[in-house]
Amino acid sequence: MPLQALNTLHMHQKVTFMVNRYEIFADDGNGAPGDLIAFVEQKRMKLKEQVTIYTDSTKSRELAGFRARKMIDLGSGYDILDGEGNAIGLFRKDFKKSLTSSTWHLEQPGQPPITGSERSSGIAILRRLWNFIPLIENLPFPFRYHFDFAREGKQSFSVDKNTWIRDHYTIRIEDSALDRRLVIAQAVAVDALQAR
């Protein structure tokens, strides 16, 4: 099935010492991961963030990617590129709103912007407090959190964390005009750049 026809995706993260690894799967029709459609390895401790999204784990073909516009990326955003390096969209974190609830803005040329934020303000505040508690600040956050992305008041897509310890997400897309490559880039960013 073509990527643009997919409405449900599954994203699994595996953390290694120097790399965050993400695998994105199509839904198998029964609510479980099916075929691998994208593969990402994000190197840690890079001064200027750049992430490449491949079609599979061989990393032989690029599907898309994103890169920070500036070395210090507070509010400046990330360009989303296709496999040939052409800009196809951008996203940025709204740092003012993210003080209480993580908020992202996603733009696709020719379409109104999309805004996404954490579904539960209570979980959002709890996550912030968790980072300030001594002795546990380096432990994984023990609650699931979810993001809803909407365009002009209408739901575009959601990113739901399904597990407490391992980072497994379900991505549901309701906007047929939305480029699936932008959704994958934003979903990776929700996890990979969450603490920034």
Side-chain angles (χ1 to χ4, degrees):
M1 184 179 288
L3 178 63
Q4 193 60 28
L6 300 176
N7 295 319
T8 303
L9 307 175
H10 300 269
M11 182 173 75
H12 294 179
Q13 182 202 24
K14 182 178 180 182
V15 178
T16 64
F17 180 64
M18 292 299 290
V19 174
N20 286 335
R21 184 172 293 126
Y22 297 89
E23 295 174 316
I24 296 92
F25 304 89
D27 188 80
D28 70 353
N30 296 306
D35 294 333
L36 180 71
I37 59 163
F39 179 83
V40 179
E41 284 187 338
Q42 176 212 22
K43 292 181 181 176
R44 295 178 176 204
M45 298 182 283
K46 290 182 75 174
L47 289 176
K48 188 173 180 182
E49 192 67 59
Q50 182 164 344
V51 173
T52 303
I53 302 166
Y54 299 95
T55 56
D56 59 37
S57 59
T58 66
K59 300 193 283 186
S60 58
R61 200 176 119 223
E62 293 183 15
L63 176 67
F66 59 86
R67 67 173 178 223
R69 290 185 163 183
K70 296 181 180 177
M71 189 133 0
I72 298 175
D73 62 318
L74 297 175
S76 68
Y78 295 79
D79 289 305
I80 306 171
L81 313 170
D82 66 13
E84 285 74 49
N86 303 305
I88 56 172
L90 68 92
F91 64 79
R92 65 181 172 82
K93 192 168 187 179
D94 188 324
F95 282 90
K96 186 176 179 183
K97 289 184 178 178
S98 293
L99 291 174
T100 55
S101 178
S102 294
T103 302
W104 296 86
H105 301 290
L106 175 65
E107 296 179 24
Q108 177 177 339
Q111 299 286 337
I114 294 172
T115 298
S117 58
E118 291 179 80
R119 189 176 301 153
S120 168
S121 55
I123 294 293
I125 291 167
L126 221 82
R127 274 197 322 103
R128 282 146 184 79
L129 293 173
W130 183 262
N131 291 329
F132 289 105
I133 300 173
L135 303 175
I136 66 167
E137 62 183 342
N138 292 322
L139 294 177
F141 183 64
F143 301 100
R144 292 176 285 181
Y145 55 93
H146 314 288
F147 283 81
D148 290 318
F149 289 80
R151 188 198 312 267
E152 297 180 325
K154 188 176 178 183
Q155 179 88 352
S156 289
F157 69 101
S158 61
V159 180
D160 295 316
K161 186 172 182 182
N162 301 322
T163 54
W164 287 326
I165 303 299
R166 301 179 70 189
D167 288 345
H168 289 185
Y169 298 87
T170 301
I171 303 158
R172 291 184 178 85
I173 307 162
E174 299 172 40
D175 186 342
S176 60
L178 183 55
D179 189 326
R180 291 346 187 217
R181 296 169 298 178
L182 303 186
V183 173
I184 292 169
Q186 181 69 78
V188 169
V190 160
D191 185 276
L193 307 179
Q194 186 58 27
R196 301 187 188 185

